[in-house]
Amino acid sequence: MSESSATGQQPKPAAKPRKFQAIKGVRDLLPAETPLWNHVEETAHSVFGTFGFSEIRLPIFEPTELFARSIGLDTDVVSKEMYTFEDFDSSQLLDFRNAIITWQDRSATETLAGPLGIGSQDRFKLFFDLIQIFFTLGRESFAKGIIPRTPENDSFLRLFEGEVQEFQLSIRSHSDAENRKSVDQLKERVRHLKFGDSLTLRPEATASVCRAYIEHNMQQLPQPVKLYYMGPMFRRERPQKGRYRQFYQIGAEVLGGNDSPGIDAEVIDMVMTFFDKLQLQGLELDINSIGCRECRQKYVEVLRVALIKVKDQLGPDSQRRIETNPLRVLDSKLPSEQEIIATLPRMAAHLCADCAEHFAEVKRQLELRGVIYRENWRLVRGLDYYMRTTFEITAQGLGSQNAVCGGGRYDGLVELLGGPPTKGIGFAIGEDRLILSLQESGKAPAARGRDIYLAWMGEKALATAVRAAKDLRAAGYRVELPVTEQKFGKALSQADKLGSRYALILGEDEVSSGEWTLKTLADGSQKKYTESDLLEFLREGRHAAPQQL
Ligand code: HAM
């Protein structure tokens, strides 16, 4: 007897299990697209290899400090967009922190303040015990190095000790409302004790390459060291076409050696060669020089003075940047600011002699290589580590997010990260955007189907089909071997749906005669082959050889 009839109640409908979806700004790359991704990546391996670059594979997460120091605290990437988390083993300390944060005063009545309000003490006793244990455990963990022995944690513990005592003393004399306020403050305070290192999902990879260069003493290798990488990066940006929270970059960096402008030109030439090979359409290369630390500093002051004069005509973002980073005002896309920006002083007129000479030589070297560029004095880039050459490449079909590659020189970054004085230059390509542009301009190759579908019927034919599949796969063909028997009509329609080029028909007749039927699905024609003739036919004619994208 069912439960419902025994109790006379209707069974509750089972709760529908949650349907999961990829989170905002991240996506699956499905089989219809992955061949193009692979093609792009294989082309990068081969083109970058011809320029003498070697691949480096980097961790997906790094200490937060690495990015903060390299990219700069005032940049959008560091101040707003990083995925940062604390890395620690689950501990008792965590249990107490959670207990503190979730503690609630559940009493219904208000108790009076003052010496008569003895009830109050009972009411908040559990909370007091929790914070006291939290403090004791915290101090022990700090002493033993179980939590980071940072100055921040040290001063937190000192202050917290006083706060715990103060709470104990004030429970009796404060009203419940006052005590609850202290509880809320203490709940907030316990979050300040850091249980582990702060880590960040990489928003870019230049900082990681510099870290690896230092960590592995690459300055002892023949200089410069030329490295490239590819993989996912993470930034918490507002998702839109061509802008994702998990996106992919293909990048390259040259570290060490001298700062010869020929290296700048070589790196730009490499990325343009790569794009040409992929037949990326509508390419435009913008270049600029933002000078060295000294001349840029002077220019920034000139710019700031000029900006203050027109402050009232600028939007709030640019107004704020006059103080924080005046160069970024030049980046503004706000239509109302464009005319004003056009009148601002330009870096070119303020470059020191060395930087001016360097930039002139970069341009000459680009011309030598036949690389077409456009000078863009407003190209400042959004990351703090750049100096001298900066560049950006846009491509067709991308709407507002049309920068498909950005890069520049960053001499001094390795030093800033604790390494020896080192020159550096590189770029990163937005692979998602590159793929989008290829798809929009019809340069994406069609998805590949199967080469051969094995249409078999009967137990004997299965054994032959299994053997044929093994041989054909070993020869590199894409073979579909249905695991259950199908009528020939069904098999052929399935072969068609899978985009197969041929169906190899293996029935009782074919197996006993040793003559196999090969059907070309495009025109329906068919021909018989012996086993060895078939392989020969495929191999010689390359009729179904793995297609090149
Ligand atoms: P970036 O300009 O921040 O530079 O990024 C390079 C490229 O990555 C952009 O031009 C764009 O194509 C792509 N990209 C950036 N954010 C997103 C996003 N949210 N969604 C899709 N694509 C995106 C850097 O990352 C530097 N590390 C480049 C570099 C290397 N400079 C010197 N060496």
Side-chain angles (χ1 to χ4, degrees):
M1 192 186 284
S2 74
E3 207 183 305
S4 61
S5 50
T7 59
Q9 286 173 352
Q10 286 298 315
K12 270 194 188 159
K16 236 182 163 188
R18 175 178 166 193
K19 220 169 110 192
F20 291 99
Q21 283 189 323
I23 55 175
K24 201 174 161 192
V26 316
R27 63 211 177 110
D28 303 304
L29 302 173
L30 300 174
E33 273 191 286
T34 46
L36 179 56
W37 284 74
N38 285 325
H39 171 58
V40 163
E41 287 164 17
E42 279 154 21
T43 308
H45 288 296
S46 98
V47 173
F48 294 178
T50 64
F51 278 76
F53 281 68
S54 313
E55 187 183 6
I56 181 165
R57 298 197 184 194
L58 301 155
I60 300 282
F61 51 89
E62 299 265 14
T64 305
E65 170 86 23
L66 174 70
F67 300 117
R69 218 189 299 166
S70 321
I71 302 170
L73 288 175
D74 288 335
T75 57
D76 286 350
V77 172
V78 172
S79 66
K80 303 189 212 154
E81 297 169 359
M82 295 205 302
Y83 286 98
T84 296
F85 59 98
E86 233 177 297
D87 180 37
F88 55 87
D89 290 334
S90 169
S91 68
Q92 259 193 322
L93 211 46
L94 178 66
D95 295 340
F96 279 97
R97 183 169 76 182
N98 288 340
I100 291 168
I101 292 169
T102 52
W103 184 86
Q104 275 187 10
D105 173 19
R106 296 189 192 282
S107 327
T109 53
E110 289 292 309
T111 327
L112 288 174
L116 290 178
I118 283 180
S120 278
Q121 199 175 14
D122 295 342
R123 209 157 152 168
F124 293 99
K125 184 165 184 319
L126 176 63
F127 185 78
F128 172 72
D129 288 346
L130 288 173
I131 54 171
Q132 203 175 32
I133 301 171
F134 180 80
F135 168 70
T136 312
L137 269 175
R139 201 168 47 184
E140 266 175 38
S141 306
F142 183 84
K144 290 183 187 157
I146 296 170
I147 62 172
R149 295 178 56 92
T150 55
E152 291 77 19
N153 269 352
D154 189 26
S155 74
F156 167 82
L157 286 165
R158 281 173 207 284
L159 283 173
F160 193 59
E161 183 171 22
E163 286 164 349
V164 174
Q165 277 169 7
E166 204 179 302
F167 182 66
Q168 184 187 23
L169 293 175
S170 65
I171 295 178
R172 274 167 170 255
S173 54
H174 282 179
S175 70
D176 286 346
E178 283 170 320
N179 279 332
R180 271 199 298 271
K181 209 167 152 201
S182 306
V183 164
D184 287 344
Q185 280 165 1
L186 288 163
K187 281 183 176 185
E188 190 44 46
R189 292 285 292 144
V190 295
R191 295 178 198 267
H192 292 230
L193 185 66
K194 296 282 175 251
F195 295 174
D197 298 322
S198 176
L199 303 182
T200 291
L201 298 188
R202 60 183 189 189
E204 60 107 57
T206 309
S208 303
V209 174
C210 292
R211 195 247 330 117
Y213 181 87
I214 301 167
E215 187 171 337
H216 303 288
N217 288 321
M218 290 194 212
Q219 68 274 16
Q220 286 168 8
L221 301 173
Q223 303 292 301
V225 174
K226 302 198 272 185
L227 300 167
Y228 73 92
Y229 51 84
M230 48 185 81
M233 309 290 156
F234 306 85
R235 295 185 195 174
R236 200 172 188 290
E237 294 194 78
R238 199 168 45 77
Q240 64 180 89
K241 180 183 168 191
R243 189 158 72 190
Y244 309 99
R245 292 182 168 183
Q246 175 176 339
F247 61 99
Y248 295 78
Q249 281 189 345
I250 301 179
E253 316 289 347
V254 179
L255 287 164
N258 57 38
D259 59 358
S260 161
I263 299 184
D264 306 43
E266 189 79 348
V267 162
I268 296 173
D269 188 20
M270 178 167 93
V271 66
M272 294 307 276
T273 306
F274 169 61
F275 285 160
D276 279 349
K277 189 113 190 180
L278 292 170
Q279 295 180 279
L280 197 63
Q281 302 294 299
L283 288 178
E284 284 183 8
L285 162 68
D286 281 12
I287 62 165
N288 190 23
S289 174
I290 56 167
C292 60
R293 312 244 176 282
E294 287 77 40
C295 60
R296 188 169 62 242
Q297 194 88 38
K298 289 185 194 148
Y299 168 65
V300 166
E301 282 322 308
V302 172
L303 185 62
R304 183 175 277 131
V305 170
L307 284 168
I308 290 171
K309 287 188 193 148
V310 293
K311 188 172 177 182
D312 296 348
Q313 300 165 58
L314 300 172
D317 279 347
S318 293
Q319 288 194 355
R320 191 170 36 78
R321 284 180 170 147
I322 297 178
E323 290 313 314
T324 57
N325 191 350
L327 278 181
R328 290 301 308 281
V329 176
L330 306 183
D331 246 3
S332 160
K333 305 262 179 329
L334 211 66
S336 61
E337 292 181 344
Q338 301 310 306
E339 260 181 48
I340 306 157
I341 293 174
T343 65
L344 293 170
R346 304 183 174 202
M347 182 73 229
H350 295 82
L351 289 176
C352 64
D354 282 354
C355 287
E357 193 187 321
H358 190 273
F359 191 37
E361 185 58 14
V362 170
K363 290 184 274 185
R364 198 186 71 83
Q365 292 269 352
L366 284 173
E367 283 151 27
L368 199 71
R369 289 166 172 78
V371 176
I372 297 166
Y373 62 85
R374 181 173 59 193
E375 270 187 72
N376 176 358
W377 71 277
R378 289 177 54 181
L379 181 65
V380 291
R381 314 263 308 125
L383 316 172
D384 279 0
Y385 49 61
Y386 292 114
M387 51 101 61
R388 289 194 169 163
T389 315
T390 53
F391 59 95
E392 224 161 71
I393 302 166
T394 51
Q396 172 178 298
L398 293 172
S400 62
Q401 302 303 315
N402 63 351
V404 77
C405 172
R409 180 164 280 286
Y410 50 85
D411 301 350
L413 177 56
V414 169
E415 207 172 344
L416 187 72
L417 297 174
T422 307
K423 309 293 179 197
I425 180 163
F427 63 80
I429 295 161
E431 193 177 356
D432 309 73
R433 295 185 190 176
L434 167 56
I435 300 269
L436 264 176
S437 180
L438 288 174
Q439 287 167 334
E440 301 258 329
S441 59
K443 293 290 170 196
R448 279 184 60 192
R450 310 291 192 274
D451 297 319
I452 299 155
Y453 189 95
L454 282 170
W456 60 271
M457 261 190 91
E459 206 39 45
K460 272 196 205 147
L462 172 61
T464 309
V466 167
R467 200 185 66 239
K470 260 196 193 346
D471 292 346
L472 289 165
R473 284 171 178 157
Y477 297 106
R478 295 156 70 96
V479 175
E480 188 67 29
L481 173 67
V483 289
T484 51
E485 192 175 61
Q486 295 166 325
K487 295 232 160 59
F488 283 126
K490 170 95 191 297
L492 291 177
S493 104
Q494 187 70 1
D496 202 41
K497 280 187 201 149
L498 292 176
S500 316
R501 188 153 187 197
Y502 297 112
L504 181 59
I505 299 171
L506 297 172
E508 302 278 317
D509 287 354
E510 280 82 3
V511 174
S512 51
S513 70
E515 294 256 295
W516 298 355
T517 306
L518 188 71
K519 189 177 180 78
T520 307
L521 286 158
D523 60 11
S525 65
Q526 54 186 55
K527 211 174 158 194
K528 286 191 181 282
Y529 293 92
T530 61
E531 188 173 346
S532 56
D533 283 353
L534 176 77
L535 270 178
E536 195 66 9
F537 164 75
L538 293 173
R539 211 178 295 127
E540 275 183 7
R542 299 224 167 273
H543 291 281
Q547 297 156 18
Q548 287 298 308
L549 280 165

